[in-house]
Amino acid sequence: MDAILKKYDMKSPVTGNKLSSAMEFNLMFGISIGPTGQNKGYLRPETAQGIFVNFKRLLEFNQGRLPFAAAQIGNSFRNEISPRSGLIRVREFTMAEIEHFVDPSAKDHPKFDSVKDVELMLYSACNQMDGRPAELIKVGKAVEMNLIANETLAYFMARIYLFLTRIGVDQGRLRFRQHMSNEMAHYACDCWDAECKTSYGWIECVGCADRSCFDLKQHSKATGVQLVAEKKLPVPITVHKVEVLPNKRIIGSSYRQHGDLIYDTLANFDESEAAEVERQIKETGEYTLEIGDKRFSFKLDDINVRRCQKTVHVEEVVPNVIEPSFGIGRIMYAIFEHTFRTRDGDEQRTYLSLPSIIAPLKCSVLPLSNNPEFAPFILKLSRELTRADVSHKVDDSSGSIGRRYARTDEVAIPFGITVDFDSLKEPHTATLRERDSMHQIRAPLSLLPELVRDLSVGRITWKEVEKQYPRFEQQETTRDV
C-alpha cells in the first residue's frame, strides 16, 4: 500500500497534505488477561457472540425446536479512529441485540399478518444507485416485491418501526436504508439500517440483518462442535453416509491429551471432508489433521473411512439468524432531538415531549400555594400514586404555578396534578394537566392515581380523558387568605 501511495503521489483530497504511511489498525481493543499478562484477549465489539456460543443451551431450553430467539443488552467496545459527535461515535457504548434463529428453508413468520400493512420509508439499494428518494411502502408489498428478503426480516423491521415511533422518534425523520453491495457484510443475505435524521444528518440507530448461518458455522469450525438443530422429516428417507472412524486405542495412546478433540473433529466431518481423508490415505498412506495451530498425523491403521446407508427421520440444519441490533445511545440522542419543543409565541419556554411510556417521572403533584390545608391532600395523593406504581414528584417550592409547570415540562413530566382551593370542598377534586397541549380537566382525587397510571402506560388517551371529564379553564373559586 505504501508503494502505491508513493507511486501515484496520493494526497489528502481535503487539505492536499501528504498522507502518512499505512499502519496496522485493529478495531478491537486488545487487553492482557491474568496476573502475568501473558494471555491476550479482546474487548467484545458486539454482544451477539455470547448468544452464539450458548446456542446449544438455548436450543435445549426451547426443546430443540426452531424458531427461537435470545436477547442481550450490554456494553460493547470499538477502537474508533476518531470519536466525535457526542453520543453518535464513541469507543464504549450500550447495545441491545436479538438473535432470532430460523430454519433456512422456512423464513416465514407466524405474526407477519399483524404488521404487513405497516408502512415503512424504504431507501433501497436500487434507489440509492439511481439517485431516487426513499419510498413509503407497506411491509407486505415489500416482501412480495422481494425488496425485503423474507417475512421474518420484514417482521422485525416493522416492529423496530413501531418501537421507535412509540418511544418518541419522529416518523417523518425515520427511514430504513438498505445496505448496498459494496458495504454489505460478506455473510449477510440482506441488511437494513433504521436511520434517524438529526442535526448530524442521517445516523444509523438500529441495524436489522439476515446473517445467514455464518456465525454458527465459524464457531463450529473453530471448536469442532456441531451447532445444528434437528428438523423432523414428513417421510423418512435413506441417505448415503460417509464416516471417519478413528482407532481410539492407537490415537488415544499417541495423542492422549488431545484425544477427545480429535474424535469430535473427525465425527463432524461432512461427506466431502471424509472423501478427502479417504483419498489421502489411499494415495500417500498418511493423513494430516490441522486443528487450530495443532497438527496430527495418522497412518492407514489409525483411521478408517466407512460408507453406509441410513434411514433418517430428522434432518440436521444449521439455523440462519435474523439480527436486530439497537444502539441505545444513538436512539436516546435521536429521541432527545425529536422531542425537544418550544412553546408557540415564547421561544424561551422549552420542554421535552417524551412519550409517557418512557418518561422517568409520570406525574408531578403541585399545591397551588403554601397553604397548610393542602398538605394532607398532597400526602394522600403521593401515597396513592406510589401504591399505583406511578413515579412522581411533589413540587411544593415557592413560585407561581405557571413557573412550576414550566419546570416540570422541561424535565419531560407528562402529567401534573394541582391541588387548589376547590380541592378542600366536598367532593374533593383536583386538576390534571397534560404537558404537550397544556389542557386541564377536573376529576375526583380518589380517581386520579389510577387515571394517571392508565395514561402513562397507554391504556387510555388524553382525548378520551377530555371527553370523560370537564375541561378546567381557570380557577373556579377563590378564597381570601
Side-chain angles (χ1 to χ4, degrees), residues 130 135 159 171 184 207:
D130 297 340
E135 300 175 287
R159 290 296 301 269
Q171 64 181 18
M184 183 94 70

Side-chain angles (χ1 to χ4, degrees), residues 237-257:
I237 60 174
T238 301
V239 297
H240 298 277
K241 297 281 290 183
V242 182
E243 299 176 323
V244 180
L245 303 176
N247 188 324
K248 294 187 177 182
R249 182 180 61 82
I250 297 176
I251 293 176
S253 61
S254 301
Y255 304 107
R256 292 183 180 178
Q257 64 185 58

